[in-house]
C-alpha cells in the first residue's frame, strides 16, 4: 500500500463520517431545549455540509471517488446521540448530555483531520493541506463553543441540584417533626387511657365483732 492509498482510505472514512452527520444533526437540533445550543449546532450543520463539499474537491484533485467506505466510528457516535435524545431528560440535563455527545463527535473529527493533514503534507499536497486545515479549524471552533456552553449548563444544573437537595432536606425535616409530634400525641393518649382504666383498690372494711 502506498502513502497516497492510505490518504485516500482515511479521507473516505471522513467523507462517510461527515455525510452521516449531515443526516443526524437536524434531529439533534430539534432535541435542544437551550436556544443558543440549538443555534450553534444548526450553524455547524451548515459548516458540515461545506466539509462534505470540500472533501469532494479534495477527491477530485486526487483523481479518486469519495464513496466506498462506511465510517463505523461515526456510526457509533451517532447512535449514542440518538440514545441521548430518546432518554428525553429535561433541561438543563438533557442539553448537557447533548453537548457531551456532540463534543465526542468533534474530538473524533479533529483527530481524523489532524491525521490526514499530516499525510497530505508528507505527499507535498499543499493545496489539499490548506483545504483540510480550513475544516479542522472549523471543527476546533465548534468544539470550543460546545465547551463554553457546557460550562454554563453545568453551573445551571449544579444550582438546580442544590435547590432540589435543600427541598428534600426540608421535606425530611418536616416528616421527622410530624413523626415526633405524632409519637408525643400517642404517648399522651396512652398515659391518659392507662390512668382512666386503672382499677381502684377496694378499701378493707372493719371486721364485725363476734
Amino acid at each position: 500500500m502506498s502513502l497516497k492509498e492510505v490518504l485516500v482510505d482515511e479521507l473516505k472514512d471522513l467523507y462517510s463520517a461527515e455525510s452521516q452527520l449531515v443526516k443526524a444533526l437536524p434531529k439533534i437540533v430539534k432535541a435542544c431545549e437551550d436556544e443558543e445550543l440549538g443555534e450553534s449546532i444548526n450553524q455547524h450543520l451548515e459548516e458540515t455540509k461545506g466539509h462534505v463539499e470540500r472533501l469532494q474537491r479534495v477527491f477530485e484533485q486526487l483523481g479518486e471517488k469519495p464513496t466506498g467506505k462506511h465510517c463505523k466510528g461515526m456510526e457509533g457516535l451517532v447512535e449514542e446521540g440518538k440514545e441521548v435524545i430518546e432518554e428525553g431528560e429535561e433541561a438543563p440535563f438533557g442539553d448537557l448530555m447533548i453537548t457531551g455527545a456532540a463534543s465526542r463527535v468533534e474530538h473524533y473529527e479533529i483527530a481524523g483531520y489532524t491525521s490526514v493533514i499530516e499525510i497530505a503534507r508528507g505527499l507535498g499536497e499543499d493545496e489539499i493541506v490548506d483545504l483540510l486545515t480550513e475544516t479542522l479549524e472549523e471543527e476546533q471552533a465548534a468544539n470550543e463553543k460546545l465547551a463554553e456552553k457546557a460550562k454554563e449548563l453545568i453551573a445551571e444544573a449544579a444550582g438546580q441540584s442544590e435547590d432540589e437537595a435543600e427541598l428534600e432536606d426540608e421535606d425530611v425535616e418536616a416528616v421527622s417533626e410530624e413523626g415526633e409530634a405524632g409519637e408525643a400525641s400517642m404517648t399522651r393518649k396512652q398515659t391518659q387511657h392507662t390512668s382512666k382504666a386503672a382499677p381502684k383498690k377496694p378499701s378493707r372494711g372493719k371486721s364485725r365483732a363476734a
Side-chain angles (χ1 to χ4, degrees), residues 8 10 19 41 72 80 94 99 117-118 141 153 168 170 179 197:
V8 170
E10 292 293 320
S19 298
I41 294 178
K72 294 182 179 179
E80 286 186 3
T99 62
I117 286 170
E118 290 305 315
L153 293 170
E168 288 178 0
E170 289 176 0

Side-chain angles (χ1 to χ4, degrees), residues 61-159:
Q61 291 187 31
L62 293 170
E64 300 284 345
K65 294 182 179 180
T67 56
K69 187 171 184 179
H70 180 72
C71 180
K72 294 182 179 179
M74 183 58 71
E75 181 183 8
L77 291 169
V78 168
E79 284 300 317
E80 286 186 3
K82 288 181 180 179
E83 289 178 3
V84 167
I85 294 173
E86 289 171 358
E87 287 181 15
E89 293 289 341
E90 295 181 357
F93 305 101
D95 289 321
L96 184 56
M97 292 169 70
I98 287 174
T99 62
S103 182
R104 285 191 288 274
V105 168
E106 292 306 323
H107 280 280
Y108 182 84
E109 291 186 293
I110 289 169
Y113 278 105
T114 299
S115 176
V116 294
I117 286 170
E118 290 305 315
I119 297 172
R121 185 174 283 118
L123 288 168
E125 296 284 357
D126 295 337
E127 189 173 347
I128 290 177
V129 168
D130 291 340
L131 286 170
L132 296 175
T133 299
E134 286 183 49
T135 297
L136 175 60
E137 290 174 350
E138 290 175 354
E139 301 289 13
Q140 291 171 332
N143 188 58
E144 288 175 4
K145 287 182 181 179
L146 286 169
E148 289 301 316
K149 174 52 65 175
K151 289 179 182 178
E152 295 177 14
L153 293 170
I154 289 170
E156 185 180 347

Side-chain angles (χ1 to χ4, degrees), residues 175-193:
V175 170
S176 178
E177 289 174 359
E178 288 177 3
E180 290 176 359
E183 288 178 4
S185 176
M186 287 295 295
T187 301
R188 286 196 297 272
K189 289 180 179 179
Q190 288 174 355
T191 302
Q192 293 171 359
H193 179 74

Side-chain angles (χ1 to χ4, degrees), residues 51-69:
H51 298 170
V52 172
E53 295 174 358
R54 204 172 281 152
L55 283 170
Q56 290 172 342
R57 290 168 58 188
V58 169
F59 279 106
E60 287 176 6
Q61 291 187 31
L62 293 170
E64 300 284 345
K65 294 182 179 180
T67 56
K69 187 171 184 179

